Amino acid sequence: MIETDIELLKGIANQLRIHSITSTTAAGSGHPTSCCSAADLVAALFFSHMKYDAKNPHFYNNDRFILSKGHAAPLLYAAWAENGFVPVSELAKLRQFGNDLEGHPTPRLAFADVATGSLGQGLGVGVGMALAARQDKLDYNTYVLMGDGEIAEGAVWEAASLAGIYKLNNLIGIVDANRLGQSQATAFGHDIGVYAKRFEAFGWRVEVIDGHDIEEIIEVLNGVGLDDKPLVIIAKTYKGAGVSFLQDKDGWHGKPLNKEEAVRAIAELQPRAKSGIGAPISTPNILPAPNLAAPASFPAINYKLGDQFATRESYGTALVRIGETDQRVVAMDGDTKNSTYSDKFFKKFPARFTECFIAEQNLVAVAVGFGARGKVPFASTFACFFARAFDQIRVAGISMSNIKLVGSHVGVSIGEDGPSQMALEDIAMMRAVCGSTVLYPCDAVSTEKLVEQMALKKGICFLRTSRPKTPVIYGNDEQFPIGGAKIVRQSAGDKATVVAAGVTLHEAIKAADALKNEGVHITVIDAYSIKPLAKDVIKAAAQKTHNTVITVEDHYMEGGLGDAVAGELSVDGIKVHKLAVNSLPHSGKAEQLFAKYNIDAAGIVKKVKSLA
Amino acid sequence: MIETDIELLKGIANQLRIHSITSTTAAGSGHPTSCCSAADLVAALFFSHMKYDAKNPHFYNNDRFILSKGHAAPLLYAAWAENGFVPVSELAKLRQFGNDLEGHPTPRLAFADVATGSLGQGLGVGVGMALAARQDKLDYNTYVLMGDGEIAEGAVWEAASLAGIYKLNNLIGIVDANRLGQSQATAFGHDIGVYAKRFEAFGWRVEVIDGHDIEEIIEVLNGVGLDDKPLVIIAKTYKGAGVSFLQDKDGWHGKPLNKEEAVRAIAELQPRAKSGIGAPISTPNILPAPNLAAPASFPAINYKLGDQFATRESYGTALVRIGETDQRVVAMDGDTKNSTYSDKFFKKFPARFTECFIAEQNLVAVAVGFGARGKVPFASTFACFFARAFDQIRVAGISMSNIKLVGSHVGVSIGEDGPSQMALEDIAMMRAVCGSTVLYPCDAVSTEKLVEQMALKKGICFLRTSRPKTPVIYGNDEQFPIGGAKIVRQSAGDKATVVAAGVTLHEAIKAADALKNEGVHITVIDAYSIKPLAKDVIKAAAQKTHNTVITVEDHYMEGGLGDAVAGELSVDGIKVHKLAVNSLPHSGKAEQLFAKYNIDAAGIVKKVKSLA
């Protein structure tokens, strides 16, 4: 690299600083000093090192850049303004209502693959992208810019460990070690050897540099991909770098400059700034594009009524079946694949499966990364352990990610392992995710059909699978559209409408049969789609049963099926009686636990009879 | 240590193996091989090294033992049987319904301080306990037994980092590196130098040993506390150790032996086993007991109606006030203390505050650890980031922990920072936790009073605080019992009952005033206690307003205040119209976002008018 280029990059870096200061001052909020520390790194990446088409941020072989320290969003926006993608005039609209240049990046912007802003999530997403590049035989690299404060997050070390295990030398972490956190200095300040030791111990090649020395930055970036390990660049930087009264000073986190301060800062930066640079110097290689087409159809299924399968097992069977025709489908698990039955897919398509070990935050982050590369990732573990990744799932909602989460071993029906292994709050959690779909099948056929739907529907879909075997109750041609429900029992004069799903649907059927023998009739609805809920189906049925609904679920009282039905239908005068788990369960046999919580057939019968 | 003692300990270890096998075979499920690998470690800890009163597991200066690999529960139960606390005959009732010897340990057992079974959580709890010991000037140590598989969890590294930072030499981690996970070998197998390097890099003293060599185990345990770092013992072990057909064999995870296999295994172990050992050899020192008494009352508050405070700020004020009289109160934060206002407590009582840096799983785990030692820990961060710790909170529910979580910056009312920083699913999450209390104050007075209540109520309490300032609307003598609600506006002929909380309560009041000018009257209820909900108060009010309720909340539609009210009251024929955030928000001004989602006064007015 010739000297003038270095000078040019220094000028760009200062221009990025100016944009960051100007836009946050205009907005009246934001994090200009967190932008300034990383400006040289970003200038080198975007205007010298990275290969990408600035006119087409989604191009499949562009290098990827994840701003894990999402609060430095104005810096990212500035880079995409200087490379010509975002009009510079737009930067002044930062954080304004309706503008996509938000406080933290989201994929409403073409150049943000994922939302960031909840710290420590970017590296795991990068792992997923780097793995996707390998599977697709593409040579793009994935760059993840992190703050030093955020690498206290355990999620970073889950990702670091997996990247080391899989020797992802197409993944580059960059730590902007600016020493200052939000409320005080980081634990290690500028003792950045600590970070170096940690990444080394996690299997990474480490370069420690002065993060404001463009030559040094370029030099280490030239070493990307030269060995078989992921590379992390620990860059010693100063918060507010480049502006005398900001640099390395306490009290400037998340604080815009007032207009007078901005004028002073820009007066310092302007003489050393260069604007209007245009495109990056390197463009991506043209390699064969991955096949990301959705299939027109899936192979048929062939089940026999009454045969017994656990829905978790049917999930594994379904995944293999759809994976045959849908090349987008990939899978990952957290060392539970022999319990979730994702091992069926692993055995059939080992190259499309990622073992993530016992690290559920990273399991979800990896899925998000694959999803951002056009794959349809199915991530599975015990449903209760997705709670470990709730923040990743929440942010995936903001990313409008295309991920499929499959949680097995739900509810007290798992029995003896006890409450730590029972998902009893997963429906509440997954319903609350923006844009999510929540599915809960009761037999093999509905599981198979819902897995198909999940693959075809863009967005976050959660499938709740069960440990016990249940009989096939649906014919092979039955359809299970998302947002639908099945009326399983109904007759004139029904006393109540019982809404159930999963294991409790079978209890409701048993209850209906038992009541029938006593001359009492009930409607039974399989609410396999909990979100969106088939409220019109349930409402119509309920109105035929004196507006009386009984919900039955293997989940806590709060936020599950009962609240979903009541929340949708109380407005129509529907009365919802909830049967659910209402205290901390013990270990025990599933039948004993079902009986204790009145979510078995006997409990349903008793509830029906108790109604006036 | 003389040779016969070593032989005795070996014998005890084999007896623990026998108990583990016998009890899991009787139960028909469980993890005997995961017990066998750690049997020598547990024998050395419980019958030679640890100082504790086996008759009084809760004694305040007992060494603490956390079985982070909770699936080895039968081994723990065996140790407490061999030390005389649990009748040996009870072991045969493992996993039976109603028995407290469950599949994974819970604090229903006096010797389990916390529930374990969701892997990777024990070390963080241990950090909290070790910090509590220091604060209380007690000399007990905290021992945390982990599996090798579980240290892939990021939570372990959050805890390891903080233990290193605070040089907790009263904390001892033990890694039972038995090489085999659930579905396959761990990533590093018996290459245990990897673990050694990692813990070293995180500031620990590391000892690598043969985990089946009692002499070596005792020798390294003799080094506990000898320097200023936490100590981790990486023990190379074999899953199923001691039984020829189990040891180091694939396919034996989570699988009990059948009766014939158990007989064969015991035949191998019995000649080398010693039973009926009785108490541990060391007893704890008698030091002054910590003051863990709840205060009779708190200092009074003195606010003026109409003065403006953010509830997050009032939280900080309240915490200092109650901290003056309640010595049990401690606080911790995740580098947001200048935003959550926990820094007020930090400045007043620095020795009772723990900065946990940006690592929310560990923030909650540390609180759980303090709570288990009789403290009343208040942990604060942005409410959305508690999603990061949902699994820890879920398990704290199983632990029946006494922790107080305070989440600030909720909802779209934070404005420009955008959706990644907005808690919009936290009520759903916290309601779903077993035994939780969910509180959402709207002004300074109610915040102050609710913080008092939280300190006095045992259990998991969540306080939802807001970023914007709101006026004081309650007098200083007003009471806010948990489970209550305040009727803020009510008159004969009210058209509807509006139920709100936090920032929306003020919008509801404005709406009531605006409607009044048009001759329309509404009831307004402040549902400051979302769980438990004051359902009788709301029901009685609703019945006076044609059974019509409008809920208004700065939260997503699912699982929040609206679902809580509908879920409780639809059964009484109450019709609940929900106003809530129903799509992914943008950055923007709070007023703009409130208007978009119709959760401002204008939206409420419009909704009231739309009702027949």
Side-chain angles (χ1 to χ4, degrees), chain B residues 4-62:
Chain B
T4 50
D5 291 337
I6 299 293
E7 289 308 311
L8 181 64
L9 290 171
K10 288 182 184 174
I12 296 174
N14 284 326
Q15 185 59 43
L16 299 178
R17 290 186 170 98
I18 290 172
H19 286 318
S20 302
I21 289 168
T22 309
S23 59
T24 49
T25 295
S29 63
H31 301 74
T33 57
S34 301
C35 296
C36 288
S37 61
D40 301 296
L41 295 163
V42 165
L45 283 165
F46 277 77
F47 298 96
S48 169
H49 178 76
M50 289 200 309
K51 296 179 180 177
Y52 67 106
D53 178 352
K55 292 193 174 54
N56 181 11
H58 285 302
F59 180 65
Y60 63 85
N61 203 28
N62 276 0

Coordinates of all heavy atoms in Angstrom, one line a residue, chain B residues 4-62:
Chain B
T4 N -4.4 -45.0 55.6 CA -5.7 -45.6 55.8 C -6.9 -44.6 55.4 O -7.9 -45.0 54.9 CB -5.9 -46.0 57.3 OG1 -5.6 -44.9 58.1 CG2 -5.1 -47.2 57.6
D5 N -6.6 -43.3 55.7 CA -7.6 -42.4 55.3 C -7.9 -42.4 53.8 O -9.0 -42.3 53.3 CB -7.2 -41.0 55.7 CG -7.2 -40.8 57.2 OD1 -7.9 -41.6 57.9 OD2 -6.5 -40.0 57.7
I6 N -6.8 -42.5 53.1 CA -6.9 -42.5 51.6 C -7.8 -43.7 51.2 O -8.7 -43.6 50.4 CB -5.5 -42.6 50.9 CG1 -4.7 -41.3 51.3 CG2 -5.6 -42.8 49.4 CD1 -5.2 -40.0 50.7
E7 N -7.4 -44.9 51.8 CA -8.2 -46.1 51.5 C -9.7 -45.9 51.9 O -10.5 -46.4 51.1 CB -7.6 -47.3 52.2 CG -6.2 -47.7 51.7 CD -6.3 -47.9 50.2 OE1 -7.2 -48.6 49.7 OE2 -5.4 -47.4 49.5
L8 N -9.9 -45.3 53.0 CA -11.3 -45.0 53.4 C -12.0 -44.2 52.4 O -13.1 -44.5 52.0 CB -11.2 -44.3 54.8 CG -12.6 -44.0 55.4 CD1 -13.4 -45.3 55.7 CD2 -12.4 -43.2 56.7
L9 N -11.4 -43.2 52.0 CA -12.0 -42.3 51.0 C -12.3 -43.0 49.7 O -13.3 -42.8 49.0 CB -11.2 -41.0 50.7 CG -11.1 -40.0 51.9 CD1 -10.1 -39.0 51.6 CD2 -12.4 -39.4 52.2
K10 N -11.4 -43.8 49.3 CA -11.6 -44.7 48.1 C -12.8 -45.5 48.3 O -13.7 -45.7 47.4 CB -10.4 -45.5 47.7 CG -9.2 -44.8 47.2 CD -8.1 -45.8 46.9 CE -6.8 -45.0 46.4 NZ -5.7 -45.9 46.2
G11 N -12.9 -46.1 49.4 CA -14.1 -46.9 49.8 C -15.4 -46.2 49.7 O -16.4 -46.6 49.2
I12 N -15.3 -45.0 50.3 CA -16.5 -44.1 50.3 C -16.9 -43.8 48.8 O -18.1 -43.9 48.5 CB -16.3 -42.8 51.1 CG1 -16.0 -43.1 52.6 CG2 -17.5 -41.9 50.9 CD1 -15.6 -41.9 53.4
A13 N -15.9 -43.5 48.0 CA -16.2 -43.1 46.6 C -17.0 -44.3 46.0 O -18.0 -44.1 45.3 CB -14.9 -42.8 45.9
N14 N -16.5 -45.5 46.2 CA -17.2 -46.6 45.6 C -18.6 -46.8 46.2 O -19.5 -47.2 45.5 CB -16.3 -47.9 45.7 CG -15.2 -47.8 44.7 OD1 -15.4 -47.3 43.6 ND2 -14.0 -48.4 45.1
Q15 N -18.7 -46.5 47.5 CA -20.1 -46.6 48.0 C -21.0 -45.6 47.4 O -22.2 -45.9 47.2 CB -20.0 -46.4 49.6 CG -21.3 -46.6 50.3 CD -21.9 -48.1 50.1 OE1 -21.1 -49.0 50.1 NE2 -23.1 -48.1 49.7
L16 N -20.5 -44.4 47.2 CA -21.3 -43.4 46.5 C -21.7 -43.9 45.1 O -22.8 -43.6 44.6 CB -20.5 -42.1 46.4 CG -20.1 -41.4 47.7 CD1 -19.3 -40.1 47.4 CD2 -21.3 -41.1 48.6
R17 N -20.8 -44.6 44.4 CA -21.1 -45.1 43.1 C -22.2 -46.2 43.2 O -23.1 -46.2 42.4 CB -19.8 -45.8 42.5 CG -18.8 -44.8 42.1 CD -17.6 -45.5 41.3 NE -16.7 -44.5 40.7 CZ -15.6 -44.1 41.3 NH1 -15.1 -44.6 42.4 NH2 -14.9 -43.1 40.7
I18 N -22.1 -47.0 44.2 CA -23.1 -48.0 44.4 C -24.5 -47.4 44.6 O -25.5 -47.8 44.0 CB -22.7 -49.0 45.6 CG1 -21.5 -49.8 45.2 CG2 -23.9 -49.9 46.0 CD1 -20.9 -50.6 46.3
H19 N -24.5 -46.4 45.5 CA -25.8 -45.7 45.8 C -26.3 -45.1 44.5 O -27.5 -45.2 44.2 CB -25.6 -44.6 46.8 CG -25.4 -45.0 48.2 ND1 -26.2 -46.0 48.8 CD2 -24.6 -44.6 49.2 CE1 -25.8 -46.2 50.0 NE2 -24.9 -45.3 50.3
S20 N -25.5 -44.5 43.7 CA -25.9 -43.8 42.5 C -26.5 -44.8 41.5 O -27.5 -44.5 40.8 CB -24.7 -43.1 41.8 OG -24.2 -42.1 42.7
I21 N -25.9 -46.0 41.4 CA -26.4 -47.0 40.5 C -27.6 -47.6 41.0 O -28.6 -47.7 40.3 CB -25.3 -48.1 40.3 CG1 -24.1 -47.5 39.4 CG2 -25.9 -49.3 39.6 CD1 -22.9 -48.3 39.4
T22 N -27.7 -47.9 42.3 CA -28.8 -48.6 42.9 C -30.1 -47.7 42.8 O -31.2 -48.1 42.4 CB -28.6 -48.9 44.4 OG1 -27.4 -49.6 44.5 CG2 -29.7 -49.7 44.9
S23 N -29.9 -46.4 43.1 CA -31.0 -45.5 43.1 C -31.6 -45.2 41.7 O -32.8 -45.2 41.5 CB -30.7 -44.2 43.9 OG -29.6 -43.5 43.2
T24 N -30.7 -45.1 40.7 CA -31.2 -44.8 39.4 C -31.8 -46.1 38.8 O -32.7 -46.0 38.0 CB -30.0 -44.3 38.5 OG1 -28.9 -45.1 38.6 CG2 -29.7 -42.8 38.9
T25 N -31.3 -47.2 39.1 CA -31.9 -48.4 38.6 C -33.3 -48.6 39.2 O -34.2 -48.9 38.5 CB -31.0 -49.7 39.0 OG1 -29.8 -49.6 38.2 CG2 -31.7 -51.0 38.6
A26 N -33.4 -48.3 40.5 CA -34.7 -48.3 41.1 C -35.7 -47.4 40.5 O -36.9 -47.7 40.3 CB -34.6 -48.1 42.6
A27 N -35.2 -46.2 40.2 CA -36.0 -45.1 39.6 C -36.4 -45.4 38.1 O -37.4 -45.0 37.6 CB -35.3 -43.8 39.6
G28 N -35.5 -46.2 37.5 CA -35.7 -46.5 36.0 C -35.3 -45.3 35.1 O -35.5 -45.3 33.9
S29 N -34.6 -44.3 35.7 CA -34.1 -43.2 34.9 C -33.0 -42.5 35.7 O -32.8 -42.7 36.9 CB -35.2 -42.2 34.5 OG -35.7 -41.6 35.6
G30 N -32.2 -41.7 35.0 CA -31.2 -41.0 35.7 C -29.8 -41.1 35.1 O -29.7 -41.7 34.0
H31 N -28.8 -40.6 35.7 CA -27.5 -40.5 35.1 C -26.4 -41.1 35.9 O -25.5 -40.4 36.4 CB -27.1 -39.0 34.9 CG -28.1 -38.3 34.0 ND1 -29.4 -37.9 34.5 CD2 -28.0 -37.8 32.8 CE1 -30.0 -37.3 33.5 NE2 -29.3 -37.2 32.4
P32 N -26.4 -42.4 36.1 CA -25.4 -43.1 37.0 C -23.9 -42.9 36.5 O -23.1 -42.7 37.4 CB -25.8 -44.5 37.0 CG -26.6 -44.7 35.7 CD -27.3 -43.4 35.5
T33 N -23.7 -42.9 35.2 CA -22.3 -42.8 34.8 C -21.7 -41.4 35.0 O -20.5 -41.3 35.3 CB -22.2 -43.1 33.3 OG1 -23.0 -42.3 32.5 CG2 -22.6 -44.6 33.0
S34 N -22.6 -40.4 35.0 CA -22.1 -39.0 35.3 C -21.8 -38.9 36.8 O -21.1 -37.9 37.2 CB -23.2 -38.0 34.9 OG -23.4 -38.1 33.5
C35 N -22.4 -39.7 37.6 CA -22.1 -39.8 39.1 C -20.8 -40.5 39.3 O -20.0 -40.0 40.1 CB -23.2 -40.5 39.8 SG -24.8 -39.8 39.8
C36 N -20.6 -41.6 38.6 CA -19.4 -42.3 38.8 C -18.1 -41.5 38.5 O -17.1 -41.7 39.2 CB -19.4 -43.6 37.9 SG -20.6 -44.8 38.5
S37 N -18.1 -40.7 37.5 CA -16.9 -39.9 37.2 C -16.5 -39.0 38.3 O -15.3 -38.7 38.5 CB -17.1 -39.2 35.9 OG -18.1 -38.2 35.9
A38 N -17.5 -38.5 39.0 CA -17.2 -37.5 40.0 C -17.1 -38.0 41.5 O -17.0 -37.3 42.4 CB -18.2 -36.4 40.0
A39 N -17.2 -39.3 41.6 CA -17.4 -39.9 42.9 C -16.2 -39.7 43.8 O -16.3 -39.4 45.0 CB -17.7 -41.4 42.8
D40 N -15.0 -39.8 43.2 CA -13.8 -39.6 44.0 C -13.6 -38.2 44.5 O -13.3 -37.9 45.6 CB -12.5 -40.1 43.2 CG -12.6 -41.5 42.8 OD1 -12.7 -42.4 43.7 OD2 -12.8 -41.8 41.6
L41 N -14.0 -37.3 43.6 CA -13.9 -35.8 43.9 C -14.9 -35.5 45.1 O -14.5 -34.8 46.0 CB -14.3 -35.0 42.7 CG -13.3 -35.1 41.5 CD1 -14.0 -34.6 40.2 CD2 -12.1 -34.3 41.8
V42 N -16.1 -36.0 45.0 CA -17.1 -35.8 46.0 C -16.7 -36.4 47.3 O -16.9 -35.9 48.4 CB -18.5 -36.2 45.5 CG1 -19.5 -36.3 46.6 CG2 -19.0 -35.2 44.4
A43 N -16.2 -37.6 47.2 CA -15.8 -38.3 48.5 C -14.7 -37.5 49.2 O -14.8 -37.3 50.4 CB -15.3 -39.7 48.2
A44 N -13.7 -37.0 48.4 CA -12.7 -36.2 49.1 C -13.2 -34.9 49.6 O -12.8 -34.5 50.7 CB -11.6 -35.9 48.0
L45 N -14.1 -34.3 48.9 CA -14.7 -33.0 49.4 C -15.5 -33.2 50.7 O -15.3 -32.5 51.7 CB -15.6 -32.4 48.3 CG -14.8 -31.7 47.2 CD1 -15.8 -31.4 46.0 CD2 -14.2 -30.4 47.6
F46 N -16.4 -34.2 50.6 CA -17.4 -34.3 51.7 C -16.9 -35.0 52.9 O -17.4 -34.8 54.0 CB -18.7 -35.0 51.2 CG -19.6 -34.1 50.5 CD1 -19.4 -33.7 49.2 CD2 -20.8 -33.6 51.1 CE1 -20.3 -32.8 48.6 CE2 -21.7 -32.8 50.5 CZ -21.4 -32.4 49.2
F47 N -15.9 -35.9 52.7 CA -15.4 -36.7 53.8 C -14.0 -36.5 54.3 O -13.5 -37.2 55.1 CB -15.7 -38.2 53.5 CG -17.2 -38.4 53.3 CD1 -17.8 -38.4 52.1 CD2 -18.0 -38.6 54.4 CE1 -19.1 -38.6 51.9 CE2 -19.4 -38.7 54.3 CZ -19.9 -38.7 53.0
S48 N -13.4 -35.4 53.7 CA -12.0 -35.1 54.1 C -11.8 -33.6 54.2 O -11.4 -33.0 55.2 CB -11.0 -35.8 53.2 OG -9.7 -35.3 53.5
H49 N -12.2 -32.9 53.1 CA -11.7 -31.6 52.9 C -12.7 -30.5 53.5 O -12.3 -29.6 54.2 CB -11.4 -31.3 51.5 CG -11.0 -29.9 51.2 ND1 -9.8 -29.4 51.5 CD2 -11.7 -28.8 50.8 CE1 -9.7 -28.1 51.3 NE2 -10.9 -27.7 50.8
M50 N -14.0 -30.6 53.1 CA -14.9 -29.5 53.4 C -15.2 -29.4 54.9 O -15.3 -30.5 55.6 CB -16.2 -29.6 52.6 CG -16.0 -29.3 51.1 SD -17.6 -28.9 50.3 CE -18.7 -30.2 50.8
K51 N -15.4 -28.2 55.4 CA -15.8 -28.0 56.8 C -17.3 -27.7 56.8 O -17.7 -26.6 56.3 CB -15.0 -26.8 57.3 CG -13.5 -26.9 57.4 CD -12.9 -25.7 58.0 CE -11.4 -25.8 58.1 NZ -10.8 -24.5 58.6
Y52 N -18.0 -28.5 57.4 CA -19.5 -28.3 57.5 C -20.1 -29.1 58.6 O -19.5 -30.1 59.0 CB -20.1 -28.5 56.1 CG -20.2 -30.0 55.7 CD1 -21.3 -30.7 55.7 CD2 -19.0 -30.6 55.2 CE1 -21.4 -32.0 55.3 CE2 -19.0 -31.9 54.7 CZ -20.2 -32.6 54.8 OH -20.2 -33.9 54.4
D53 N -21.2 -28.7 59.0 CA -22.0 -29.4 60.0 C -23.0 -30.2 59.2 O -24.0 -29.6 58.7 CB -22.6 -28.4 60.9 CG -23.5 -29.1 62.0 OD1 -23.7 -30.3 61.9 OD2 -24.0 -28.4 62.9
A54 N -22.8 -31.5 59.2 CA -23.7 -32.3 58.4 C -25.1 -32.4 59.0 O -26.0 -32.8 58.3 CB -23.1 -33.7 58.2
K55 N -25.2 -32.1 60.2 CA -26.6 -32.1 60.8 C -27.4 -30.8 60.5 O -28.6 -30.8 60.7 CB -26.5 -32.3 62.3 CG -25.9 -33.7 62.7 CD -26.1 -34.0 64.2 CE -25.7 -35.4 64.5 NZ -24.4 -35.7 64.0
N56 N -26.6 -29.8 60.2 CA -27.3 -28.5 59.9 C -26.7 -27.9 58.6 O -25.9 -27.0 58.6 CB -27.0 -27.6 61.1 CG -27.6 -26.2 61.0 OD1 -28.4 -26.0 60.1 ND2 -27.2 -25.3 61.8
P57 N -27.3 -28.4 57.5 CA -26.7 -27.9 56.2 C -26.8 -26.4 56.0 O -26.1 -25.8 55.2 CB -27.6 -28.6 55.2 CG -28.2 -29.8 55.9 CD -28.3 -29.4 57.4
H58 N -27.7 -25.7 56.7 CA -27.9 -24.3 56.5 C -26.9 -23.5 57.4 O -27.0 -22.2 57.3 CB -29.3 -23.9 56.8 CG -30.3 -24.3 55.7 ND1 -30.1 -23.8 54.4 CD2 -31.4 -25.0 55.7 CE1 -31.1 -24.3 53.7 NE2 -31.9 -25.1 54.4
F59 N -26.1 -24.1 58.3 CA -25.3 -23.3 59.2 C -24.5 -22.3 58.4 O -23.9 -22.6 57.4 CB -24.3 -24.3 59.9 CG -23.5 -23.5 60.9 CD1 -24.0 -22.8 62.0 CD2 -22.1 -23.4 60.7 CE1 -23.2 -22.1 62.8 CE2 -21.3 -22.7 61.5 CZ -21.8 -22.0 62.6
Y60 N -24.5 -21.1 58.9 CA -24.0 -19.9 58.1 C -22.6 -20.0 57.8 O -22.2 -19.3 56.9 CB -24.4 -18.6 58.9 CG -23.7 -18.4 60.2 CD1 -22.4 -17.9 60.3 CD2 -24.4 -18.8 61.4 CE1 -21.8 -17.8 61.5 CE2 -23.7 -18.6 62.6 CZ -22.5 -18.1 62.7 OH -21.8 -18.0 63.9
N61 N -21.8 -20.7 58.5 CA -20.3 -20.8 58.1 C -19.9 -22.1 57.6 O -18.7 -22.4 57.5 CB -19.5 -20.4 59.3 CG -18.1 -19.9 58.8 OD1 -18.0 -19.3 57.7 ND2 -17.1 -20.0 59.6
N62 N -20.9 -23.0 57.2 CA -20.6 -24.2 56.5 C -19.9 -23.9 55.1 O -20.4 -22.9 54.4 CB -21.8 -25.0 56.2 CG -22.3 -25.9 57.3 OD1 -21.7 -26.0 58.3 ND2 -23.4 -26.6 57.0

